[in-house]
């Protein structure tokens, strides 16, 4: 089943679902699950001049955009059906649902359980300067109103980032959809997949961001998580007036969904556990340390770290090679600082491998590839930036097709470890969670 035509196939929710599904099916996650022919074309982009590479990336991204008048007719259940089809028919003791998060994706891969995202991206065509925030705000007003009138269990978090996403926002507007209720496909999947007495794990990232309200269930977000702090966007660009905060468009959790989850749990006799955290990277160190301890118990050295950014992940390889995953949002200074903090207190690591998602521009707050290499080498670690032509990054789009192969060349695969039990996750969050503002609670 292909991704519905109105859903971005190159985003956190779709990318992390594809990666997790690959791990659950015990197969590699190569080329972001794209065809070999497309990967060959992407690799060939390295011979293009930088300006031409950036233009090609912008235009290819723009092709994902739908016409504004098509927005009113989208059906979130088709997205839910696509997600469930990726996992196939399976039984599990846990089903996770909620915020997109790479660290939690690794937890799910280790436990051998699926994750159902709350948020998905609908790219809408536009053709304007990245700095033109006002026209973006006014885009598809009538169409989004008709959509929300049809879909009571949906809300729109429109997002505009003229810094890190400036290549894309010249051609598409970001309409992120958050589910307030469970689509029928999710309900069926939970009933078919979750074992009697099983657990629904609510992934609750409580991150908030400044917004302008466009309606009762429609907000417009000023910028996004990346190299700049939230308030810095209004200092540099002409956004509409801020009139509140809302769950962050890409990573934040809309709490209205919890009622629907608890309703299914009450009807079917499931437990509901909520994992709450204040920012996308907050669980990353705890998840990494949990993997280190688990691998050590399995007899592995657990001295190799994989620092991943955005959707440049490989959970199957991390499990099969007993490599510790530290997921980071983007190749930006705050994420580099997260890596540096982790390395500074884990002195027994020997090797560092890094994946860098190429967002295309030297945006404010981005961290050059050499900085990422130095993070490991300055501490005496054998360090490699996997599959990246460092002088071309962050416009080295060929790395999307080559980073997974580079990881496999660096360390050969072995067998999958046994599944990680849920009670081990609970114990790790109880022990280390307070230092990272993670909370584990039963609803």
């Amino acid at each position: 089943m292909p991704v519905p035509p109105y859903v971005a196939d190159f985003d956190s929710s779709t990318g992390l679902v594809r990666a997790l599904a690959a791990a659950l099916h015990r197969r590699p996650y190569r080329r972001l699950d794209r065809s070999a022919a497309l990967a060959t074309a992407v690799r060939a982009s390295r011979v293009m001049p930088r300006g031409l590479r950036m233009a090609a990336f912008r235009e290819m991204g723009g092709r994902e955009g739908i016409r504004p008048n098509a927005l009113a007719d989208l059906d979130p259940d088709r997205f839910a059906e696509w997600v469930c089809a990726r996992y196939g028919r399976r039984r599990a003791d846990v089903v996770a649902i909620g915020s997109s998060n790479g660290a939690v994706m690794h937890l799910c891969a280790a436990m051998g359980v699926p994750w159902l995202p709350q948020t998905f991206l609908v790219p809408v065509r536009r053709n304007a300067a990245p700095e033109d925030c006002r026209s973006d705000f006014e885009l598809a007003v009538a169409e989004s109103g008709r959509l929300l009138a049809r879909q009571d269990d949906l809300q729109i978090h429109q997002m505009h980032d003229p810094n890190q996403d400036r290549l894309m926002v010249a051609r598409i507007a970001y309409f992120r959809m958050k589910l307030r209720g469970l689509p029928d496909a999710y309900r069926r999947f939970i009933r078919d997949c979750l074992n009697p007495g099983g657990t629904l794990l609510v992934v609750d990232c409580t991150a908030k961001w400044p917004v302008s309200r466009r309606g009762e269930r429609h907000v417009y977000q000023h910028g996004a998580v990346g190299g700049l702090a939230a308030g810095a966007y209004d200092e540099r660009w002409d956004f509409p007036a801020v009139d509140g905060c809302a769950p962050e468009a890409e990573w934040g959790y809309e709490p209205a969904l919890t009622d629907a989850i608890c309703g299914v749990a009450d009807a079917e006799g499931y437990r509901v556990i909520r994992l709450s955290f204040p920012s996308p990277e907050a669980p990353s160190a705890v998840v990494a340390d949990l993997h280190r301890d688990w691998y050590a118990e399995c007899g592995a050295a657990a001295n190799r770290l994989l620092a991943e950014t955005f959707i440049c992940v490989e959970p199957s390889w991390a499990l099969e090679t007993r490599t510790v995953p530290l997921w980071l949002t983007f190749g930006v200074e705050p994420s580099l600082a997260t890596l540096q903090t982790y390395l500074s207190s884990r002195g027994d690591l020997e090797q560092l491998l890094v994946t860098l998602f190429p967002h295309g521009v030297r945006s404010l707050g981005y961290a050059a590839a050499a900085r990422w290499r130095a993070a490991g080498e300055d501490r005496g670690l054998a360090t490699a930036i996997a599959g990246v032509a460092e002088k071309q990054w962050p416009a080295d789009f060929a790395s999307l097709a080559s980073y997974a192969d580079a990881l496999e060349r660096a360390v050969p695969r072995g067998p999958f470890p046994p599944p990680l039990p849920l009670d081990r996750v609970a114990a790790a969050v109880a022990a280390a969670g307070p230092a990272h503002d993670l909370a584990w609670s039963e609803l």
Side-chain angles (χ1 to χ4, degrees), residues 149-168:
R150 288 179 51 247
Q151 301 287 348
D152 292 337
D153 287 337
L154 201 64
Q155 66 188 45
I156 300 174
H157 290 245
Q158 193 176 346
M159 184 193 88
H160 188 76
D161 183 358
N163 180 40
Q164 195 164 289
D165 286 334
R166 64 183 297 105
L167 282 184
M168 291 294 97

Side-chain angles (χ1 to χ4, degrees), residues 144 148 156 158 175 212-220:
S144 57
L148 294 177
I156 300 174
Q158 193 176 346
F175 282 70
S212 303
R213 295 209 164 265
R214 289 188 48 178
E216 182 181 355
R217 287 180 284 126
H218 187 168
V219 297
Y220 180 81

Side-chain angles (χ1 to χ4, degrees), residues 34 56 58 62 90 135 141 146 168 173 237 267 298 307 373 442:
R34 301 311 197 273
R58 180 183 62 233
R90 63 179 57 250
S135 69
V141 174
R146 287 197 294 271
M168 291 294 97
W237 291 282
C298 295
R373 179 180 291 279
E442 186 156 2

Side-chain angles (χ1 to χ4, degrees), residues 50-74:
R50 182 172 179 271
L52 185 57
R53 288 198 313 275
M54 294 169 65
F57 182 70
R58 180 183 62 233
E59 299 308 318
M60 287 182 65
R63 291 180 185 176
E64 283 204 297
I66 63 171
R67 298 186 311 277
N69 61 10
L71 183 65
D73 298 323
L74 69 85

Side-chain angles (χ1 to χ4, degrees), residues 24 80-81 83-92 94-96 113-116 183-194 270:
L24 297 187
E81 290 171 353
V83 171
C84 298
R86 301 281 65 73
Y87 300 127
R89 298 180 62 86
R90 63 179 57 250
R91 302 295 296 180
V94 180
V95 172
V113 305
W115 158 69
L116 308 177
D184 289 342
Y186 277 7
R187 291 178 181 272
R188 290 192 301 270
F189 181 83
I190 290 168
R191 293 190 182 104
D192 292 344
C193 172
L194 198 53
Y270 303 136

